[in-house]
Amino acid sequence: MHINQQQLDLVNQRIQAMCAARSFYGRRFIEQGIAGVESEADFLALPFSEKKDLREAYPLGIMSVPEDQIVRMHSSSGTTGKPVVIPYTARDVEDWAIQFARCYEMAGVTKKDRVQIMTGYGLWTAGVGFQAGCERLGAMAIPMGPGNTEKQLRMMIDMESTVLCATSSYALLLAEEIGKRGIRDQLKIKKCILGSERMSDMMRQTIEEKLAVEIYDIYGMTEIYGPGIGINCSHETGIHYWDDFLYIEIINPDTGEVLPDGEWGELVITTLRKEGAPLIRFRTHDLSRIIPEKCSCGASWPRIDSIRGRSDDMVKIKGVNFFPAQIEEILQTFPEVSSEYQIKISHLDGKDTMRLYVETNGSVDFLDLASRIAARVKSRIGFTPLVKVVEIGVLPRSEKKTARVVDMRYQ
Ligand code: ZN
């Protein structure tokens, strides 16, 4: 996906604002002699920004407008070290609501819906984002906040809520509770919009089955407005995002080189309109790819694939970088294997070796399947793994994708 002239113009406006404000990034641009961009090549030469910059600029060093224009603050959790603080102008707050309202629309939510919001309020971007988007769309927001399951279920029944917004783990807990109490038929819920944390396919499936609802997975992060910058459509083919607000690139996390559309790598986001805290080429460390084809839903918004982990998960073997997600992609092209797999990497006789364990049923020729999988990994990623085919049920079950990779070189 190439950056267009309108997007370049917006990037220039952001760079000029940052320089004028002498913000953390503004000073950096001035030091490096960067006053703007005229072409895609200029844009690609701009330095990346990182979460650690935001910590360094704590608390308000990234503010890029005079303080009297700031109307709100949000902050990310900050489990390690300083938190990240993001200032918003009135325009930023409105732009975020516009994007979030689009997410609801993409999920088929209308003014007639009653939306029970069970995500956290306060410094978090979740609760208030879900609420502002809902109100902007014109649906009825029921701002519950998280927890207190008794009260949530009561309101769900009494208010006849049709849409639930929650983290995936809370939605799972609710789904189990609803099942236990046998009250599903008293509820009017049709859709769940989940966000704020990664969800495994298994978790998603469990919520979907237990609640018999459509599930939508919202994307976002505090640094870039918050949740609401993208969502899957009912065709479940990746995440549509709003390219009038964001420019997205996929890079090789090791080299920083921009990858062609379709290839997996790290998601890098540029905010085109954000005023309070604009970010240019912000490294999210989330792994995805740009889906080049148009979505079958007909929407013209571009798409990224669902997030498949973090670039910190990248594995290097025999000089080749790969992500467990790429192996999973390849395995999905073999209908005869189950969804479980395990990757073991070891260092034997002076060289790295990858063993790939996959499961199939007894009707398949194990040796033939193993060599076909090995050949496909070689042709798509560039090295040949030792493939071990086992009977279905032999491999350990795990909800975490990362637990499927055992790197014995560092143990
Ligand atoms: Zn679509």
Side-chain angles (χ1 to χ4, degrees), residues 51-100:
K51 195 161 186 154
K52 70 170 168 51
D53 302 337
L54 306 181
R55 295 216 165 94
E56 212 175 301
Y58 179 86
L60 283 172
I62 55 165
M63 188 165 67
S64 299
V65 290
E67 199 195 309
D68 59 5
Q69 290 181 36
I70 299 297
V71 300
R72 195 197 286 170
M73 307 288 318
H74 281 292
S75 171
S76 68
S77 53
T79 42
T80 52
K82 286 179 193 165
V84 164
V85 173
I86 305 290
Y88 294 65
T89 65
R91 171 82 190 272
D92 293 337
V93 168
E94 193 188 351
D95 284 348
W96 183 20
I98 290 170
Q99 294 175 75
F100 216 125

Side-chain angles (χ1 to χ4, degrees), residues 16 35 320 358 365:
Q16 279 147 24
V320 178
V358 300
D365 180 339

